[in-house]
Amino acid sequence: MSFLQPQSSIIDLGINIDHVATLRNARGTVYPDPLQAALLAEEAGADAITLHLREDRRHIKDADVELIRPQLRTRMNLESAVTSEMVDFACRIKPQDVCLVPERREEVTTEGGLDVVKYFSEVSTAIKQLQAEGIRVSLFIDADVAQIQAAAEAGAPVIELHTGRYADAHDEADQQTQLQRVQQGVLEGVKRGLKVNAGHGLHYTNVQAIAAIRDITELNIGHAIVAHAVFVGWQNAVREMKAIMTAARLNGLQK
Ligand SMILES: CC(=O)[C@@H](O)[C@H](O)COP(=O)(O)O
Ligand SMILES: NCC(=O)COP(=O)(O)O
């Protein structure tokens, strides 16, 4: 029985547990356990658990997804490449949400958003297949009008804007430019009736400006939280991020 009371958040936090698995896999141990991380994150205020089953299985493994799915008391947001192997797997597991992402084997992390314009037919087909299983589909895209338009036309109800360029900005002027791109992207998404999420590369001192954007529903954050947990503990790291995001949103609403 679950004693976790669902509370409505002013902005949702999806905790990405990929790099709990990265740490586990580094030594071939069974710890740290991604399932335990997911359950403790939920207790600490996570609104969703995000995990990316990469084609090379470098962190999350098939068995993690299978084990974690029925145990969650919030929801699972499974990040997946647009391949028949991954989409079939997602259809079998039936997470509440699937976020379709681009993948390149040799990349260190997800570089850039899914090119929905170029792969419109493949993306539309994957969306239909997932939706037939009752899964809500999100597309991980750059804050680009053409991509947002294509996402809406492909039938995705949700987009997640890639904040990597904002996070990697080399100076303040560039960061402002990238922030404005995200802000504009959010407006474009909302205009088309989409739920707009964001994520990638967000951390404790750059998340505020993104969380303050009033129409963003959810942020997905992983690497920075796993890293911070080394010093403050996993649940404190989750709570701290949620508190920072909530304060930034409330602040943003007052402006
Ligand atoms: C899609 C995305 O931005 C993240 O989930 C990212 O994939 C995290 O995992 P990696 O660090 O393996 O890219
Ligand atoms: N979709 C983005 C995500 O899940 C988290 O990315 P990161 O915080 O690990 O960079």
Side-chain angles (χ1 to χ4, degrees):
M1 187 193 292
S2 168
F3 295 99
L4 199 69
Q5 295 300 314
Q7 290 177 343
S8 77
S9 299
I10 188 162
I11 175 167
D12 283 354
L13 171 59
I15 295 288
N16 184 315
I17 56 171
D18 291 352
H19 300 305
V20 174
T22 302
L23 193 54
R24 173 195 63 187
N25 300 351
R27 290 288 292 269
T29 52
V30 293
Y31 60 86
D33 178 9
L35 170 62
Q36 191 183 4
L39 299 181
L40 289 173
E42 286 186 321
E43 253 179 41
D47 301 285
I49 300 298
T50 294
L51 67 181
H52 185 175
L53 182 68
R54 278 187 173 271
E55 291 187 275
D56 63 8
R57 310 305 199 264
R58 67 174 75 157
H59 37 59
I60 294 293
K61 312 282 184 201
D62 302 46
D64 294 320
V65 187
E66 285 161 1
L67 192 70
I68 292 170
R69 169 66 181 92
Q71 304 263 4
L72 293 186
R73 290 176 285 180
T74 57
R75 64 194 152 80
M76 175 180 277
N77 173 34
L78 179 63
E79 296 182 328
S80 163
V82 190
T83 64
S84 51
E85 183 206 357
M86 288 301 162
V87 173
D88 289 349
F89 177 80
C91 285
R92 179 166 69 76
I93 300 296
K94 296 187 181 39
Q96 288 84 353
D97 294 302
V98 163
C99 182
L100 295 174
V101 304
E103 246 187 64
R104 280 194 312 120
R105 281 284 157 106
E106 62 278 17
E107 67 191 356
V108 172
T109 184
T110 310
E111 295 163 356
L114 188 63
D115 191 343
V116 189
V117 174
K118 184 169 176 188
Y119 299 107
F120 188 82
S121 159
E122 293 86 340
V123 172
S124 308
T125 303
I127 293 173
K128 283 196 193 79
Q129 189 182 337
L130 291 159
Q131 285 180 337
E133 299 296 336
I135 298 165
R136 180 170 60 171
V137 183
S138 160
L139 302 182
F140 188 59
I141 56 174
D142 287 324
D144 176 275
V145 180
Q147 296 296 340
I148 296 164
Q149 173 74 30
E153 284 169 7
V158 186
I159 53 174
E160 179 173 327
L161 299 178
H162 194 312
T163 50
R165 284 204 204 162
Y166 163 79
D168 294 340
H170 41 81
D171 57 37
E172 222 170 282
D174 185 28
Q175 196 180 40
Q176 277 309 311
T177 305
Q178 299 307 331
L179 177 62
Q180 282 162 13
R181 270 187 84 209
V182 176
Q183 288 166 331
Q184 196 55 40
V186 174
L187 294 178
E188 293 290 340
V190 169
K191 200 165 85 185
R192 290 167 175 82
L194 303 175
K195 173 179 184 262
V196 183
N197 300 336
H200 202 89
L202 296 176
H203 56 62
Y204 292 83
T205 55
N206 72 6
V207 72
Q208 291 82 351
I210 299 290
I213 304 172
R214 66 174 63 206
D215 289 313
I216 290 184
T217 305
E218 170 181 312
L219 298 182
N220 286 300
I221 309 179
H223 178 67
I225 294 174
V226 174
H228 195 47
V230 171
F231 302 108
V232 303
W234 177 241
Q235 288 193 307
N236 287 333
V238 172
R239 281 190 204 104
E240 216 180 295
M241 182 58 83
K242 186 76 194 275
I244 290 171
M245 284 166 46
T246 304
R249 172 59 59 88
L250 288 171
N251 225 350
L253 291 177
Q254 278 159 12
K255 283 184 184 153

